[in-house]
Amino acid sequence: MNRRRFLGLGASVFGAGTLAAVAVPSAARLLAEGRPGRLLSSELDLPPAFQVPLPVPPVLEPYSSDETADYYEIVEQVAKLEILPGVRTEAWTYGGSYPGPTVVARSGRAAVVKHRNLLPVPTVVHLHGGHTPADSDGYPVDLLLPVGSTGGGDMAGMPGMPGMAHRAAGRSVTGERTHTYPGRQRAATLWYHDHRMGFTGPGVWRGLAGFHLVHDDEEAALPLPYGDRDLPLMLADRSFAADGSFRYPATDPTLAAPGVTDDYANGVLGDVILVNGAPWPRLDVDWARYRLRLLNASNARAYRLELDPQPSGGDALVQIGSDGGLLEAPVTHDALEIAPAERFDVVVDFSRYEPGTSVRLLNRFGSDRTAEVMRFDVSSRRVTDDATVPEELSTIERLDPDAAVTTRQFAFRRSRGDGWTINGRPYEPGHDIARPALGRTELWRFSSDLHHPVHVHLNQFQVLTRDGRAPGPYDAGWKDTVDLRPAEVVEVLVRFTDYAGTYMLHCHNLEHEDMAMMADFVVE
């Protein structure tokens, strides 16, 4: 598709002025900058680290339950939050908080979640990692229009998306939309976030993200840390304007058209590291083991996480789970690299430290203020800890490469004429790039020019090779997002089950995604 045709589509889907204003830097310049993204500095004084207690997102209670399902409601609304101490920041939120409330579901039971949109803009909700029917998956033009909107899919006069003629295979509704998540998947750390075409970056940046945790009997039978020692940790970087608002380099500050300014086309990096919405927080921990559910919810920033000081004997981070749930056996790390949208469940044994020790979680990919994430202060009080990490965690079916019925190639590239592309094409809703059959194993080969965290909807996959060699140290288990590094080829085995329909394959650098690095595939 040539650039003229793409921009014509953009004018009909996004509104006038779309991606034409977004220039993509040269590949040489992006390679010279190393990892994706450009730092956007805040315009106010930043608080000192380790002063704010770590918040834990509230658990959302169902308003109703029956024999097979639990029913929830989330109101999408503007809220004034104190993210930086003494500063009020206007956020777009799920339920009035950032992160949004945590949905705790049970494998085998449906979670039925009704979203009501009181924001000034349309939204699309995607349960990231969810094994979800297509009509609840969050296709990027299946808009939930704000309460009170008129004219169906015609967004003329709607702040944030004027003039939109919603025609590209979308199913717009006004006011409320109900998503059904059947729960036909194993225990895992999932998350939900905005997925609106062209505006995922600013939507997530402004606060539209939350945890969705799935539990099952297999996990419950293990002696892993639980209760207050089972902590979801959402890592995200942000920048703030002088008035305390979120600072974001949108081409159009009113968000009437998508895209960021030229300097940030390879991703936006903030200078404030938030954990569960708090800047560089601290947490008092018992002299015991903790399960940390690490989620990278940043737009473009990758992290290399490391504890300082390291406990004696090394192996500070014991990985027990990945995007799709428990590993077969624990994997030990001294440091953990996590790309946008990846999740790693790790166990940290704080009893390996002297009581009273302060343990920093560092980001070795960061510099200055972004080199620190949070601090754990180890209690001097001895407590009972009956948690352990078994040598065997789960039984995982290994997909057989010899059973693959086809091999598909997906090239993630910057195109001089069309921006960020997959197989040379910018995204066009309704144009599918593959048609896999239900229940059949396929080998998908991802290749890259630069860093691209690749996300596949509907089912998790298994990493087979990196550049023809064994999978990397962070590739174990079932994955739905894989960090594709510059000039690299990663092969994965996929098998889609249960639900036919149209799903997404895309880069989870949100600025790349918003500038058309997405593709449809249709499961038949």
Side-chain angles (χ1 to χ4, degrees):
M1 176 166 54
N2 63 33
R3 185 172 178 81
R4 181 183 299 273
R5 180 182 169 201
F6 175 61
L7 294 177
L9 172 74
S12 63
V13 174
F14 292 117
T18 67
L19 301 187
V22 179
V24 179
S26 70
R29 173 182 159 190
L30 296 181
L31 284 170
E33 292 177 352
R35 286 194 163 266
R38 182 182 179 92
L39 186 68
L40 179 67
S41 297
S42 293
E43 297 176 333
L44 41 64
D45 292 335
L46 301 181
F50 317 136
Q51 303 299 305
V52 179
L54 174 76
V56 177
V59 172
L60 185 65
E61 296 296 329
Y63 67 81
S64 179
S65 297
D66 57 30
E67 292 183 356
T68 61
D70 299 302
Y71 299 85
Y72 303 88
E73 182 173 24
I74 295 175
V75 177
E76 302 171 0
Q77 58 190 289
V78 175
K80 291 276 192 177
L81 305 178
E82 186 174 333
I83 297 174
L84 302 180
V87 177
R88 306 296 289 181
T89 299
E90 182 176 287
W92 296 346
T93 73
Y94 296 119
S97 67
Y98 173 68
T102 298
V103 176
V104 178
R106 190 80 185 175
S107 179
R109 285 186 63 81
V112 181
V113 185
K114 178 172 67 177
H115 280 259
R116 180 173 174 81
N117 185 2
L118 299 182
L119 294 169
V121 296
T123 60
V124 175
V125 179
H126 170 54
L127 177 58
H128 187 117
H131 186 57
T132 305
D135 60 0
S136 289
D137 185 58
Y139 191 65
V141 291
D142 287 354
L143 301 184
L144 174 57
L145 309 180
V147 168
S149 300
T150 59
D154 183 2
M155 293 299 296
M158 177 59 62
M161 219 175 197
M164 174 175 174
H166 177 57
R167 62 169 177 81
R171 296 175 289 269
S172 290
V173 297
T174 299
E176 297 179 352
R177 185 192 293 277
T178 297
H179 297 259
T180 299
Y181 306 122
R184 299 180 65 175
Q185 61 187 110
R186 56 207 298 265
T189 300
L190 313 180
W191 64 303
Y192 61 100
H193 61 80
D194 192 34
H195 202 247
R196 179 164 61 117
M197 181 171 168
F199 296 91
T200 298
V204 172
W205 189 270
R206 291 190 179 201
L208 292 175
F211 281 101
H212 184 116
L213 308 181
V214 180
H215 297 300
D216 64 13
D217 292 340
E218 178 188 46
E219 181 188 65
L222 297 175
L224 299 171
Y226 61 93
D228 292 342
R229 296 177 190 161
D230 181 351
L231 289 171
L233 299 179
M234 179 183 290
L235 278 56
D237 56 338
R238 296 291 184 268
S239 300
F240 294 84
D243 63 358
S245 62
F246 287 122
R247 190 178 182 213
Y248 188 78
T251 301
D252 180 355
T254 69
L255 297 183
V260 291
T261 57
D262 175 38
D263 286 346
Y264 296 92
N266 197 28
V268 183
L269 306 180
D271 60 357
V272 178
I273 303 298
L274 304 177
V275 184
N276 292 350
W280 302 286
R282 55 171 297 276
L283 176 68
D284 292 326
V285 294
D286 293 331
W287 204 64
R289 294 175 181 85
Y290 279 71
R291 177 178 182 167
L292 308 180
R293 298 174 182 262
L294 299 167
L295 158 65
N296 183 354
S298 299
N299 283 32
R301 182 181 292 280
Y303 299 80
R304 181 176 173 86
L305 300 174
E306 184 176 308
L307 295 177
D308 178 46
Q310 292 275 346
S312 59
D315 301 336
L317 304 169
V318 180
Q319 184 188 353
I320 60 170
S322 190
D323 302 336
L326 291 172
L327 306 182
E328 290 180 308
V331 177
T332 57
H333 306 280
D334 285 333
L336 188 66
E337 295 182 14
I338 180 169
E342 285 190 297
R343 286 92 66 211
F344 292 99
D345 285 19
V346 301
V347 172
V348 174
D349 185 359
F350 289 107
S351 70
R352 297 172 70 184
Y353 292 97
E354 289 294 326
T357 302
S358 288
V359 182
R360 295 184 301 161
L361 182 62
L362 302 180
N363 171 28
R364 294 301 191 186
F365 286 157
S367 60
D368 299 324
R369 299 301 304 277
T370 64
E372 293 182 312
V373 177
M374 66 173 295
R375 193 179 78 188
F376 303 95
D377 293 331
V378 183
S379 172
S380 58
R381 180 174 57 91
R382 302 298 177 103
V383 296
T384 299
D385 179 20
D386 56 1
T388 61
V389 179
E391 293 183 0
E392 298 181 3
L393 295 167
S394 181
T395 300
I396 294 179
E397 177 190 3
R398 298 293 186 98
L399 298 182
D400 183 1
D402 293 334
V405 298
T406 190
T407 297
R408 302 185 191 273
Q409 310 280 349
F410 301 98
F412 289 74
R413 299 283 190 274
R414 176 259 181 188
S415 167
R416 185 172 299 278
D418 290 322
W420 301 107
T421 67
I422 301 177
N423 288 354
R425 297 178 64 104
Y427 180 56
E428 179 180 351
H431 172 82
D432 64 83
I433 200 170
R435 287 185 168 257
L438 275 171
R440 308 296 291 273
T441 300
E442 297 191 356
L443 190 153
W444 286 14
R445 182 175 291 126
F446 305 137
S447 62
S448 66
D449 51 358
L450 303 167
H451 268 97
H452 301 293
V454 176
H455 174 47
V456 178
H457 288 212
L458 180 58
N459 280 79
Q460 273 85 26
F461 51 77
Q462 293 174 0
V463 178
L464 183 64
T465 67
R466 279 186 180 268
D467 283 337
R469 296 183 290 273
Y474 314 113
D475 292 334
W478 288 104
K479 299 283 293 174
D480 57 51
T481 307
V482 63
D483 187 16
L484 189 61
R485 295 172 297 205
E488 188 172 48
V489 176
V490 173
E491 293 181 323
V492 306
L493 293 170
V494 299
R495 184 180 64 198
F496 299 105
T497 60
D498 297 322
Y499 309 118
T502 300
Y503 292 90
M504 302 292 302
L505 165 73
H506 61 87
C507 178
H508 220 283
N509 178 318
L510 299 187
E511 282 69 51
H512 293 185
E513 175 181 340
D514 283 347
M515 291 185 289
M517 194 171 249
M518 301 192 294
D520 289 354
F521 64 90
V522 177
V523 179
E524 299 179 316

